[in-house]
Each structure stands twice: as C-alpha cells, then as structure tokens.
Amino acid sequence: MAKATELKTIRALAIAFCAALLFSGAAKWPALPNSGFLTGRGAAPEDVDNGTAIFATGQDERSYGKPLDIKIPQYAYFRQEDKYVIILQAEKYDGKSIIGAETFDGEKVVGLLDEFDLLGDHGR
C-alpha cells in the first residue's frame, strides 16, 4: 500500500515540476484560445461541425450532456496519452464526466475527467 502512495506522490511531483518548468518559460506553451471552445451547455452535433466542440453526446437537446463546472479553456496533462493539452469542452453524460481537449500540436482527444490533471490558466 505504501508503494502505491509513494508512486502517486512521485507522479504528482513530476507533473508539478514539468508544469513549473513549462509555465516558467523554459518551454513554449501555446496561448489559451479566445474562441473554439464550448462552455455553459452540452454540445450539439453542429458544434462539432463548426469547430466549437470536440464531441457531441446526442442528436437532440434532450440527449445532450450537461456542462461540468470547470474552467474552460485551461491547460491539463492527459495521462492516457502522456501529453499536455488545452481543455476545450467538459460535460457530464450518462454518469460520466467527459473532457474534450486538443494537444499542443492540434490533435483532438477525448477522455474521462479522472484521466486529466487540471493545470489552470497559468500560462497566460
């Protein structure tokens, strides 16, 4: 049990260290966007088509997800792909908290909230 706790602590420290280096200017972070993200409501299919959402959960308003109460846009670390991303969308759907994000090189990714370490907007 202690080993699992130690590994989590080491991982958290490593992420914090990398974020500190990146936010300090040692590496180049892209600016957070002023548009091209979705807040305050669930995404519709046309939001995906026009580039303001990464995913849509349904085809009509009754089946759209509900917005999560997190800051958008913001930086995050996506552990699933070992990449830093910018969160552009966050919704609760069918009991799951789903994040839509974009890597610094433009790749769109989708994952569950617990797969991301939220880093805020410190890079601004």
Side-chain angles (χ1 to χ4, degrees):
M1 187 72 167
K3 287 193 185 277
T5 302
E6 290 171 9
L7 288 175
K8 285 182 181 179
T9 301
I10 290 169
R11 186 185 75 182
L13 289 171
I15 290 169
F17 177 72
C18 290
L21 283 176
L22 289 168
F23 287 137
S24 72
K28 181 79 171 139
W29 281 58
L32 290 174
N34 293 321
S35 62
F37 52 87
L38 187 68
T39 62
R41 64 179 177 81
E46 52 269 17
D47 294 316
V48 176
D49 294 341
N50 70 27
T52 57
I54 307 292
F55 65 89
T57 55
Q59 296 299 315
D60 60 48
E61 286 187 44
R62 291 177 303 220
S63 60
Y64 297 161
K66 304 293 181 219
L68 290 177
D69 187 22
I70 67 169
K71 183 167 183 56
I72 297 175
Q74 72 168 291
Y75 300 105
Y77 177 70
F78 186 32
R79 292 186 306 275
Q80 186 76 10
E81 293 193 16
D82 190 30
K83 292 183 178 182
Y84 287 96
V85 298
I86 297 174
I87 294 178
L88 302 174
Q89 179 183 359
E91 296 183 21
K92 184 105 172 166
Y93 179 75
D94 197 27
K96 295 177 178 75
S97 296
I98 306 167
I99 299 292
E102 187 173 282
T103 64
F104 290 1
D105 60 2
E107 175 189 358
K108 309 282 192 223
V109 296
V110 176
L112 299 176
L113 177 60
D114 63 3
E115 298 173 319
F116 292 83
D117 293 317
L118 305 182
L119 302 174
D121 61 359
H122 299 93
R124 280 190 172 177

